[in-house]
Amino acid sequence: MHVPVQAIDRETWRGGVASEGVRLVPEETPLALTYNGGTYAVMMGTPQNLEDFAVGFSVSEGIVKSVDDIKSLEMIRLDDGIELRMWLASADAARINQRRRHIAGPTGCGICGVESIAEAVRPAAIVPDGQTFTPEQVMAAMQAIAPLQSINMQTRAVHAAAFWSPAGGIVALREDVGRHNALDKLAGALARSRTEPRGGMVLLTSRVSVEMVQKTAAIGAPMMVAVSAPTALAVRMAEAAGITLIAIARQDGFEVFSHGGRIVARHAREVADVA
């Protein structure tokens, strides 16, 4: 049986003295994504919320346009991994046969196995304007993540991706040993629940690389907030996609790298509401 956390025996040395005990560590499992009988990718990930992962990966990779394009999805447990078996309409299947790749994706692999530089830096989807947010909302959203990271509270070894909206708070949160996997799982959860992405923000406990921006653009969220810094290419991609990119979000503030017009001071919003 595949479980997300395992108890592992370990020996601890402190002050020159050894002691025996156990530590909870996250599981890492090969996950094969197959479409119409053919393997598209094999990724390493945490065996939890795998239906969300399959749908989110399919959408963010451009294999399907929406969850409705996946006619069936089965999770097949094998001795050494899990197969996420999907069947698509014939037109979609023909398209992915043109770009099928057989890869073993290491943990955290975001664009492993692409066949050209152009594919690696493909333009992100253009995100609609969406709504504005106050700095207080950004801070409240980020502070709401930690208590919901059940696997990380046990292991301190996984990433999280979450979606926050003013009306619902944290709408969905997904964890994985791979930051890209966590975001794909979130994308799948939002797609399967028919959540409208324009009214909220994507939250990340990891750094922001270009493929994280591409995946957020595929979700359609107007804003992404991360605890760590972005790369220069990620900033350029967010600017081109119309995404407000916030990074280095800590307890004392954050930094805005693109489309800062969506951040509005609370007093300014209150004046506008009165007017």
Side-chain angles (χ1 to χ4, degrees):
M1 180 179 179
H2 296 279
V3 294
V5 176
Q6 296 281 355
I8 303 295
D9 293 330
R10 57 98 172 99
E11 182 180 72
T12 301
W13 283 84
R14 286 193 175 88
V17 178
S19 62
E20 302 292 334
V22 298
R23 173 168 293 278
L24 296 176
V25 298
E27 186 58 79
E28 186 177 27
T29 304
L31 306 172
L33 296 115
T34 68
Y35 300 92
N36 290 37
T39 300
Y40 185 87
V42 180
M43 310 297 290
M44 301 300 296
T46 302
Q48 185 182 52
N49 302 122
L50 295 183
E51 293 87 353
D52 290 338
F53 175 58
V55 172
F57 180 91
S58 302
V59 172
S60 65
E61 285 285 308
I63 296 168
V64 299
K65 293 181 179 179
S66 76
V67 63
D68 296 326
D69 295 330
I70 301 175
K71 303 307 179 184
S72 68
L73 167 59
E74 297 178 87
M75 187 170 64
I76 310 299
R77 298 183 181 275
L78 308 173
D79 290 339
D80 52 358
I82 302 173
E83 179 185 344
L84 302 173
R85 184 179 298 171
M86 288 165 278
W87 291 91
L88 313 178
S90 57
D92 293 319
R95 186 179 69 255
I96 66 168
N97 283 335
Q98 299 299 317
R99 57 192 293 254
R100 188 185 304 279
R101 64 184 188 262
H102 298 272
I103 61 172
T107 300
C109 177
I111 52 175
C112 321
V114 297
E115 297 178 352
S116 70
I117 291 176
E119 188 178 355
V121 294
R122 68 187 186 278
I126 305 300
V127 174
D129 286 341
Q131 67 179 70
T132 60
F133 302 89
T134 66
E136 290 80 9
Q137 287 177 317
V138 174
M139 300 302 296
M142 290 302 291
Q143 291 170 8
I145 295 178
L148 301 177
Q149 289 184 255
S150 59
I151 298 178
N152 196 57
M153 284 191 289
Q154 298 177 74
T155 67
R156 302 299 178 189
V158 296
H159 296 288
F163 185 81
W164 181 93
S165 73
I170 298 292
V171 175
L173 182 145
R174 296 293 182 266
E175 296 179 279
D176 199 278
V177 289
R179 58 196 172 94
H180 309 95
N181 294 348
L183 186 50
D184 278 336
K185 288 179 178 180
L186 176 66
L190 297 177
R192 296 176 71 203
S193 63
R194 312 287 178 173
T195 298
E196 172 53 61
R198 289 181 294 177
M201 63 183 83
V202 167
L203 314 175
L204 305 171
T205 63
S206 61
R207 68 182 178 87
V208 183
S209 52
V210 64
E211 63 273 23
M212 301 295 274
V213 176
Q214 291 167 330
K215 291 177 184 295
T216 299
I219 290 172
M223 181 180 295
M224 59 190 306
V225 188
V227 299
S228 297
T231 66
L233 182 56
V235 173
R236 293 194 294 271
M237 185 69 73
E239 184 68 38
I243 291 175
T244 299
L245 172 55
I246 296 175
I248 316 176
R250 310 292 166 80
Q251 292 184 345
D252 60 345
F254 53 83
E255 299 179 21
V256 184
F257 289 85
S258 64
H259 295 280
R262 290 196 183 95
I263 303 298
V264 179
R266 182 169 59 185
H267 70 273
R269 174 179 283 183
E270 291 171 350
V271 170
D273 289 342
V274 171

